[in-house]
């Protein structure tokens, strides 16, 4: 399938202060996506089913106002810290930092104005058989309570075979913590088409991190064997969702970090497969990160309306966020999220589509 060419931009809308937000359209290898300069948001991502019929498989909105007013991080880049930091506080090199608290008493996804709500610089590129966007944003020292000026470069690449690859890079001028991820809400049958409970999911993880009622990891790494959390062999997401496991009750479904068996790796390795048996659309994820947050769209409550007038209800999409573990700065036994001057934070996640 064709359509490869230089990414095309258009005006998507304006923020209240007049700032222009642009939409970038990219296509390669049969995958089409639209990306906003606001939050690096993937506004749509279209892939074909087994008959070649396209659907937008990521939840989004039509208008910038909706992203600003009520988006639960649809398609956004997440930082400085993906998922929660307990009490919005951590201590590094003897100094305690108080972060922006936006989820009960905890800090979620970088605080009240995280990277999902920032305007990124976007530069298009074509390189060999790849097309893509280079997004950059500098987060000021102290932004949302985090130490250090963080210079970030995130590259979205669509490859010749239609893979969407994300390369994250960051440097700092003071010791800090960083955990970047992407918050696409997937529904491989098409955004707004209904529940994802029939999607089959496989996660290459023998353990997960149980949480307290505020969804902060207790520090335990629990075995998935014999529990609803066992996705080592592909199974429908809905199969064990109503089994009454206390961790499922506490989170209203799946909203946990899986401890990937491969651990931190130099190169991206396969960690998960999501498949919609009806359409045949399949998403495979490879990463060098040690964790995967599987969130089954528990807090979608039927009040948000997407393109085409479809409402998004509980379980109408799921997120698979490659990351370091939540609250790592307060758990010395978890893989470290500390970044120091002179070091470069580098992680990669690849999304491969088939049908
Ligand atoms: C978190 C959920 C949260 C959601 C925001 C997910 O990454 O794990 O707890 O509600 O993001 O919509």
């Amino acid at each position: 399938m064709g359509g490869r060419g230089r990414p095309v931009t258009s005006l998507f809308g304006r923020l209240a202060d007049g700032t222009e937000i642009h939409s970038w359209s990219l296509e390669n290898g049969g995958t089409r996506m639209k990306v906003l300069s606001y939050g690096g948001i993937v506004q749509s991502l279209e892939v074909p089913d087994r008959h070649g019929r396209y659907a937008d498989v990521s939840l989004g909105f039509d208008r910038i106002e909706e992203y600003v007013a009520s988006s639960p991080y649809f398609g956004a880049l997440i930082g400085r810290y993906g998922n929660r930091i307990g009490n919005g506080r951590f201590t590094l090199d003897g100094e305690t930092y108080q972060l922006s608290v936006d989820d009960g008493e905890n800090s979620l996804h970088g605080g009240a104005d995280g990277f999902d709500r920032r305007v990124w610089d976007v530069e298009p590129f074509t390189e060999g058989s790849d097309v893509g966007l280079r997004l950059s944003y500098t987060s000021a020292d102290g932004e949302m309570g985090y130490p250090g000026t963080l210079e970030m470069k995130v590259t979205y690449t669509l490859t010749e075979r239609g893979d969407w690859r994300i390369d994250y890079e960051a440097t700092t001028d003071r010791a800090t913590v960083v955990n970047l991820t992407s918050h696409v809400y997937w529904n491989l049958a098409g955004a707004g088409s209904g529940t994802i409970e029939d999607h089959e999911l496989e996660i290459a993880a023998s353990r997960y991190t149980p949480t307290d009622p505020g969804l902060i990891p207790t520090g335990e790494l629990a075995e998935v064997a014999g529990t609803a959390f066992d996705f080592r062999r592909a199974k429908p997401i809905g199969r064990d969702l109503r089994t009454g496991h206390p961790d499922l009750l506490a989170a209203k479904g799946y909203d946990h970090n899986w401890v990937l068996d491969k651990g931190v790796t130099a190169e991206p390795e396969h960690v998960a497969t999501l498949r919609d048996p009806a359409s045949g659309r399949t998403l495979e994820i490879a990463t060098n990160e040690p964790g995967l947050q599987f969130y089954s769209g528990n807090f979608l409550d039927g009040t948000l309306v997407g393109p085409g007038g479809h409402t998004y209800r509980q379980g109408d999409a799921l997120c698979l966020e490659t990351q370091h573990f939540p609250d790592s700065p307060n758990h010395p036994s978890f893989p470290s999220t500390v970044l120091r001057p002179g070091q470069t934070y580098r992680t990669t996640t690849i999304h491969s589509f088939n049908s």
Side-chain angles (χ1 to χ4, degrees), residues 45-98:
L45 196 152
E46 295 179 54
V47 287
D49 69 4
R50 61 164 74 84
H51 305 295
R53 286 180 301 229
Y54 275 82
D56 179 2
V57 295
S58 92
L59 271 55
F61 292 121
D62 269 337
R63 295 166 53 242
I64 188 64
E65 289 79 5
E66 295 169 294
Y67 281 105
V68 174
S70 49
S71 180
Y73 309 95
F74 281 166
L77 283 176
I78 301 293
R80 293 190 185 190
Y81 201 96
N83 212 276
R84 293 174 178 80
I85 296 187
N87 297 309
R89 205 177 303 135
F90 69 95
T91 301
L92 178 59
D93 298 340
E95 209 167 318
T96 298
Y97 297 95
Q98 179 60 54

Side-chain angles (χ1 to χ4, degrees), residues 72-73 83-84 108-109 183 185 215 255 293 295 299 321:
Y73 309 95
N83 212 276
R84 293 174 178 80
L108 174 64
H109 294 331
H183 212 298
Y185 282 69
L215 301 181
D255 191 356
Q293 186 84 12
Y295 168 57
F299 300 114
E321 301 154 72

